[in-house]
Amino acid sequence: MCGIVGYVGEKKALPILMDKLEMLTYRGYDSAGVAVSENGHFYLKKTKGRVSDLEAIVDRDGVSGTVGLGHTRWATHGEPSTPNAHPHTDCTEKLVVVQNGIVENFWELKQDLMGKGHHFHSETDTEVIAHLIEEYYDGNITTAVNLAMQQMHGSMALLVLHKDEQDTLVAAKMDSPPLIVGFGRGENHVASDIPALLRYTNRIYPLEDGEVATIRRDKVIITNYREPETPRLSPPKVMVINWSPEVAKKDGYEHFMLKEIHEQPTTVNDTLRGRLPETADGMVEIPDLNLTAEEAQRIERLTLVACGTAYHACLVGKYLIEQALRIPVTVDVGSEYRYRAPLIGRNEVMVAISQSGETADTIASMREGMEQGAKVVAITNVLGSSVARLADGVLYTRAGPEMAVASTKAFVGQLVGLHLLTQFLAQHRELPAGMRERLLKMREELWRLPALIERILAESRPVQRLAKAISQQEACFFIGRNLDEPMAREGALKLKEISYIHSQGYAAGELKHGTLALLAPNVPVVALATQRAVYDKSVSNVQEVLARHAWVIGVAHEGDERLTDLVGRENMLTIPQSDDWLAPVLTAVQLQLLSYYTALELGRDIDQPRNLAKSVTVE
Ligand code: M6R
């Protein structure tokens, strides 16, 4: 999605803006631009392409202005091109605007503005904002932004700078796209994402829906365009982020994705710490989740909602929670949930899962759930994100910033979060015979996971060898049963998004209902067989595939014999022995490595795959 940065202070703005833009490149984008207020003019540069292309046309040292804004664009209205890149200006070129989101009524506004004589130079909805603010400007930029916001519909975050008020940035937010004010000493910052701020400050205020921030060097005033006469928090309530700037660097790894795969032992440890007792006695404590023992007892159904990889975590959660707790679980993708007229039952709790905490469809699903009376809790990775603020309670995964578009450590954090939720609910509910013992034993196993992940990471030669062979293929299938079924989907998503090899994940038993027609000699099929209760059936499915002369890569626990015998040891990836319900965490690591090394072999842009954005803040 688009990225926004801004600076107002005493230092030269341009190098700071360029550094911040560089920190946003991980989000995915197709063009970039900056504008700095300089001696009554704007120094404005923009271009289609990378931030490095922008870097090549700006004069980092030659521009002395101390107030400015910048943008990375991910095209929605109008193709990626230099005219469509932000910032955009009005007819008088007295103001500049950058935006993330969509102005849904831009066409009507544009017709109206053209009727009033405004001339447009791009196909974007953002240029409409510039002309609308121009129309309302009467000596006070905050007032003009408030009035313009009142005329627009949609979901957007924007940042504006006017030539006649050179010491002032105005930031505004409608609905979901994030916009964060960062507080410095004698300077203030704005960014659409925390990593862009980390080098400058860890004191932040994420704007709420409707808020307009007037940002000067020495103060920030927050109002709401829906009630412009009522000043809000002054000064705003500052949050302190404990991520260090170092965690947003590659740290010697070739790609963020590989670094993040290697950070997973730490993610597991950090997410468990202080919440899961290391022994069977002691209570699971997740105070921020804001669920009482009574509520935990009363739950009659859980709805899990998310998008992409986080949705796959939900599917794993369904298998886990239904089997362990016998609570019915419904799982939805965020983009579908609110459009299917969902029914919320009494005593229903919704769990929204999101790494970024900014995914528009997940947020909209939470709102739908809340409107219908559900208690909504979240599993998210970003402190103060929209999801975290909206939810009635939060379980933070402690994965640190995830920079690669492909989600790895956040997914593992989400799986661990779901285990914590299961353990927490279990201690307040009646369980099927033998289940309490299994769950108590699993506490020890959860603590062992970091060491087991380390073992997989220490021996990546088999997965590298298999990835090299997969990279020669045009398609790849992933199959599995029970908890391996969502993991098959996740393996396929990971492979397709970074290698661009067509891949699909299926319930292994479903192949014969259609997909077998696609299997020809040597087509790779990654068969997951980590669930002991359905192992025999998984092996039968592998036999069906082998009978069509496809090439099977097996994934099973160490010590596996039957599958290994069938597919050949050279075609096996193993995971250390663990409880079956923990196998998805270990399988995830093997499948992430398989995708990573396949994409590496193909020379893909691993951290920023084509067409994708790290967080999807539009519908
Ligand atoms: O930030 P979120 O977890 O809400 O993001 C959801 C999806 O956009 C995300 O998981 C996406 O599918 C990843 N690219 C997958 O690797």
Side-chain angles (χ1 to χ4, degrees):
M1 293 290 101
C2 303
I4 291 176
V5 298
Y7 173 79
V8 44
E10 289 174 327
K11 301 184 190 121
K12 284 184 175 178
L14 188 58
I16 295 174
L17 295 170
M18 292 304 295
D19 286 348
K20 286 184 183 168
L21 284 180
E22 189 56 45
M23 293 308 297
L24 287 185
T25 54
Y26 78 97
R27 292 163 61 102
Y29 67 104
D30 49 55
S31 40
V34 279
V36 174
S37 178
E38 168 96 328
N39 305 326
H41 293 94
F42 285 123
Y43 175 85
L44 193 158
K45 296 281 175 191
K46 58 184 185 176
T47 182
K48 179 184 169 186
R50 298 275 161 190
V51 169
S52 53
D53 299 315
L54 181 66
E55 192 74 61
I57 58 169
V58 298
D59 180 6
R60 250 192 193 245
D61 301 323
V63 180
S64 55
T66 62
V67 184
L69 46 75
H71 191 260
T72 49
R73 174 171 189 253
W74 187 83
T76 57
H77 293 61
E79 61 170 5
S81 69
T82 298
N84 286 339
H86 303 204
H88 289 286
T89 58
D90 63 323
C91 297
T92 61
E93 299 190 354
K94 281 196 159 188
L95 63 94
V96 283
V97 179
V98 292
Q99 190 238 165
N100 175 14
I102 293 178
V103 184
E104 284 171 2
N105 58 335
F106 92 102
W107 190 85
E108 293 85 341
L109 291 170
K110 190 169 176 176
Q111 301 311 307
D112 187 45
L113 288 161
M114 286 195 304
K116 289 179 176 151
H118 289 260
H119 293 286
F120 285 79
H121 303 282
S122 78
E123 303 153 292
T124 64
D125 52 345
T126 303
E127 195 184 348
V128 168
I129 306 175
H131 293 275
L132 197 58
I133 297 173
E134 175 191 1
E135 195 63 25
Y136 285 118
Y137 188 74
D138 189 18
N140 184 311
I141 187 62
T142 306
T143 306
V145 170
N146 274 319
L147 293 169
M149 291 295 279
Q150 287 166 8
Q151 297 305 312
M152 294 187 283
H153 311 151
S155 180
M156 70 199 81
L158 53 97
L159 192 60
V160 186
L161 177 57
H162 197 285
K163 248 182 212 171
D164 296 344
E165 295 174 66
Q166 288 199 30
D167 59 345
T168 307
L169 283 170
V170 180
K173 172 174 154 114
M174 179 187 296
D175 198 29
S176 44
L179 201 52
I180 301 157
V181 179
F183 298 87
R185 281 178 210 279
E187 62 185 29
N188 286 311
H189 302 261
V190 188
S192 50
D193 213 344
I194 294 170
L197 295 171
L198 291 176
R199 278 188 62 184
Y200 303 97
T201 181
N202 64 350
R203 299 171 61 241
I204 63 160
Y205 175 75
L207 291 184
E208 299 278 358
D209 174 31
E211 286 185 338
V212 176
T214 307
I215 305 161
R216 301 207 178 92
R217 191 170 65 73
D218 53 351
K219 70 172 167 213
V220 176
I221 301 163
I222 311 274
T223 52
N224 189 309
Y225 73 84
R226 298 187 184 110
E227 308 157 352
E229 301 314 319
T230 322
R232 308 273 283 186
L233 308 160
S234 227
K237 198 167 160 234
V238 170
M239 297 169 74
V240 178
I241 295 287
N242 64 3
W243 292 350
S244 86
E246 303 312 309
V247 289
K249 294 191 181 147
K250 283 191 199 145
D251 210 12
Y253 286 91
E254 196 176 344
H255 296 98
F256 276 118
M257 182 176 176
L258 190 60
K259 176 183 178 234
E260 288 161 4
I261 290 172
H262 280 262
E263 284 172 346
Q264 292 180 115
T266 311
T267 300
V268 175
N269 245 321
D270 288 352
T271 304
L272 294 177
R273 194 175 11 89
R275 294 163 167 169
L276 184 77
E278 294 196 31
T279 55
D281 45 359
M283 296 291 277
V284 177
E285 307 274 3
I286 320 173
D288 291 348
L289 197 58
N290 198 16
L291 266 183
T292 64
E294 214 193 3
E295 283 171 318
Q297 267 163 26
R298 274 205 316 257
I299 293 174
E300 289 174 19
R301 190 171 71 158
L302 286 166
T303 288
L304 308 187
V305 67
C307 301
T309 284
Y311 168 69
H312 297 150
C314 292
L315 293 174
V316 173
K318 175 179 168 74
Y319 279 101
L320 170 68
I321 294 167
E322 288 193 338
Q323 291 178 61
L325 306 178
R326 309 306 293 153
I327 299 175
V329 178
T330 307
V331 179
D332 271 274
V333 280
S335 52
E336 286 297 319
Y337 181 71
R338 64 195 181 285
Y339 298 118
R340 70 166 177 83
L343 296 169
I344 305 269
R346 274 186 24 194
N347 298 324
E348 175 153 345
V349 170
M350 175 185 270
V351 184
I353 304 187
S354 173
Q355 185 286 128
S356 62
E358 302 296 349
T359 300
D361 285 320
T362 306
I363 294 169
S365 304
M366 294 170 74
R367 292 208 173 107
E368 174 75 30
M370 284 174 161
E371 266 167 35
Q372 292 204 36
K375 176 149 191 172
V376 179
V377 299
I379 298 180
T380 185
N381 195 39
V382 180
L383 188 73
S385 58
S386 303
V387 162
R389 282 177 290 138
L390 185 61
D392 297 314
V394 187
L395 191 167
Y396 282 109
T397 51
R398 298 176 183 143
E402 190 179 65
M403 309 295 281
V405 163
S407 187
T408 54
K409 60 178 181 172
F411 176 66
V412 157
Q414 289 158 2
L415 295 181
V416 172
L418 285 160
H419 274 283
L420 283 170
L421 178 66
T422 307
Q423 293 274 347
F424 173 79
L425 296 176
Q427 67 196 5
H428 300 299
R429 295 179 68 94
E430 282 193 20
L431 299 180
M435 193 54 69
R436 198 163 303 283
E437 295 68 28
R438 180 172 177 182
L439 288 173
L440 288 177
K441 175 145 191 318
M442 212 165 10
R443 290 186 181 182
E444 288 165 36
E445 297 213 22
L446 275 158
W447 281 111
R448 277 178 55 227
L449 275 178
L452 303 187
I453 296 173
E454 294 285 9
R455 262 172 53 196
I456 297 174
L457 295 173
E459 180 43 330
S460 64
R461 277 172 303 182
V463 76
Q464 291 194 40
R465 189 173 33 74
L466 290 166
K468 198 167 185 170
I470 287 184
S471 71
Q472 304 305 308
Q473 303 295 328
E474 285 177 0
C476 183
F477 296 90
F478 290 74
I479 58 172
R481 286 174 169 266
N482 210 287
L483 277 82
D484 281 338
E485 186 266 331
M487 291 311 298
R489 299 191 199 212
E490 172 58 9
L493 175 63
K494 211 92 302 168
L495 183 64
K496 76 177 82 155
E497 75 176 323
I498 60 165
S499 73
Y500 317 150
I501 292 175
H502 180 92
S503 28
Q504 294 298 337
Y506 292 98
E510 272 292 296
L511 275 193
K512 51 185 160 305
H513 298 289
T515 310
L516 268 187
L518 294 175
L519 296 191
N522 299 324
V523 169
V525 178
V526 180
L528 311 181
T530 73
Q531 300 297 301
R532 293 172 180 92
V534 289
Y535 180 81
D536 290 348
K537 295 187 189 306
S538 302
V539 171
S540 301
N541 294 133
V542 167
Q543 260 157 341
E544 290 162 8
V545 170
L546 286 172
R548 273 84 192 168
H549 306 291
W551 164 37
V552 177
I553 294 160
V555 180
H557 288 284
E558 286 168 357
D560 174 88
E561 288 179 1
R562 276 174 54 206
L563 183 63
T564 309
D565 202 39
L566 262 182
V567 308
R569 191 162 297 282
E570 69 286 5
N571 290 317
M572 283 299 291
L573 293 172
T574 57
I575 58 169
Q577 296 281 346
S578 67
D579 187 293
D580 286 3
W581 290 345
L582 295 178
V585 172
L586 304 169
T587 305
V589 181
Q590 284 289 25
L591 297 182
Q592 292 160 0
L593 291 169
L594 191 67
S595 305
Y596 175 80
Y597 285 113
T598 306
L600 189 68
E601 192 65 32
L602 291 166
R604 302 298 192 222
D605 190 350
I606 294 182
D607 286 337
Q608 290 159 39
R610 68 185 180 201
N611 302 335
L612 297 181
K614 180 61 183 162
S615 87
V616 182
T617 54
V618 292
E619 213 185 302

